[in-house]
Amino acid sequence: PHDSRDELAFIEKQWRHLTYESREFQTRFENSLPALRNAFLIQFVDGHYYSMSEQEIRERMESYGWDVDGRSFSFSTIELFDLAGRESGFSEGDKQSVAFAAANIVEELVRSRDVEVSVV
């Protein structure tokens, strides 16, 4: 005899598993979003999207969570380097600290505008 309760329990178990996986995927995607946005900006500034139309770029930006409706955008890069050019300059940890400090300064300077600062 075929028990429909077992079948419903199986379907419910599968549904719960898929719901859990969907939430996990969404969380991972949201946690990865800053890195994806950063990678997009680097590639954009490097000219990798030259052949794309403005609409295609806007759609890509929107997929990374930017609000693009009725907005215009500009991108700038700031490169930090050791002026002395010595090997004994900043340690790797110091370089990261200086980069984040510089990003905080830039964010403070442009606070009145809708600006995103990425550190690479």
Side-chain angles (χ1 to χ4, degrees):
H2 184 52
D3 190 355
S4 62
R5 287 179 294 181
D6 289 341
E7 198 170 302
L8 285 174
F10 174 76
I11 292 171
E12 182 180 358
K13 182 180 176 185
Q14 291 296 99
W15 179 258
R16 285 184 184 163
H17 179 70
L18 289 173
T19 301
Y20 170 79
E21 283 187 353
S22 176
R23 278 193 222 124
E24 281 292 306
F25 176 76
Q26 183 68 29
T27 300
R28 286 185 190 151
F29 174 75
E30 288 171 0
N31 290 339
S32 300
L33 208 48
L36 292 170
R37 291 169 74 148
N38 206 17
F40 169 81
L41 290 175
I42 291 167
Q43 291 174 348
F44 183 84
V45 170
D46 284 345
H48 292 273
Y49 300 115
Y50 181 74
S51 63
M52 291 175 72
S53 70
E54 179 182 342
Q55 183 60 33
E56 289 170 320
I57 292 170
R58 286 181 171 277
E59 287 170 3
R60 177 78 56 98
M61 291 176 71
E62 197 169 40
S63 74
Y64 292 134
W66 278 295
D67 179 12
V68 298
D69 290 336
R71 294 182 172 202
S72 59
F73 298 89
S74 66
F75 299 96
S76 299
T77 59
I78 300 171
E79 186 173 348
L80 301 175
F81 57 93
D82 182 3
L83 292 175
R86 293 173 282 154
E87 290 293 320
S88 63
F90 293 122
S91 71
E92 195 57 39
D94 289 342
K95 288 178 186 176
Q96 289 178 351
S97 296
V98 169
F100 283 109
N104 287 336
I105 291 168
V106 171
E107 282 180 335
E108 190 63 36
L109 291 172
V110 296
R111 185 175 297 277
S112 64
R113 295 183 174 93
D114 186 14
V115 173
E116 181 168 325
V117 176
S118 297
V119 177
V120 181

